[in-house]
Structure formats: C-alpha cells, structure tokens
Amino acid sequence: MWKVWIVFLLGLWVFISAFVPGAVAHGGHSIFFGALIAGFSFWAARRARLEWINFALGLWFVVSGFFLHNLWNNLAVGVIVSVISLIDGVAWEKTAG
C-alpha cells in the first residue's frame, strides 16, 4: 500500500513542478499528467488493477522527457512510477488470479 502513496506523491510533484518558474519546459503537460498520475494512484489504493494505467503513464513520462526537454525530471519520475506500478500490478495479478 505504501508504494501507491509514493506514486501519488510523485504525481503531486509533477503537478506542482509546473508552477515553479524554470522547473519544466512544458507546464501544461506536467499539470495534466501529474494530475492523472496522482488521481489514478489515489484510485488504485482502492482498486489495484488501475496500477497498469500508472505503468503506462510512467512509460509515457520516460519517452516524453526526450522531446519535451524535461529529460531528468521526466526520466526520474517515469522510471520510478513505472517500476512501482509494475511491481504492484504483477503482485495484484498473482493474488487475484
């Protein structure tokens, strides 16, 4: 359960970083996807199957860092979100299936 809240906090970080001058190149992207990551992780705390959505969002963050010029922030957040969501998603599938 604690892993879901780490992903939630990372989503909040991405959302808030859009309002820090000079922190990110594309604030709209950070606001939108930060809210999605935080929202789905909050929802996933109740329904673990939603971890796969955060896994996909994390992968998008890794890829988007290369063409949105937010490379290090997006890489770090994307890798952490993807790995944690993958671990939680696989663990949930094993217990449910």
Side-chain angles (χ1 to χ4, degrees):
M1 180 63 100
W2 60 270
K3 292 177 270 193
V4 173
W5 296 112
I6 289 176
V7 173
F8 176 77
L9 291 174
L10 285 170
L12 284 181
W13 158 250
V14 170
F15 182 84
I16 291 169
S17 69
F19 299 101
V20 177
V24 294
H26 298 278
H29 178 265
S30 295
I31 291 170
F32 181 73
F33 284 99
L36 281 178
I37 290 171
F40 280 116
S41 67
F42 183 75
W43 199 7
R46 291 165 181 78
R47 307 186 86 196
R49 191 161 272 225
L50 296 172
E51 290 295 332
W52 296 110
I53 295 172
N54 271 344
F55 174 71
L57 291 171
L59 290 180
W60 166 251
F61 247 73
V62 170
V63 171
S64 70
F66 290 101
F67 61 87
L68 292 179
H69 308 292
N70 297 334
L71 182 61
W72 296 112
N73 186 51
N74 284 20
L75 272 178
V77 170
V79 167
I80 294 168
V81 167
S82 294
V83 168
I84 289 175
S85 298
L86 179 65
I87 291 169
D88 274 357
V90 169
W92 188 86
E93 292 291 333
K94 285 183 180 180
T95 59

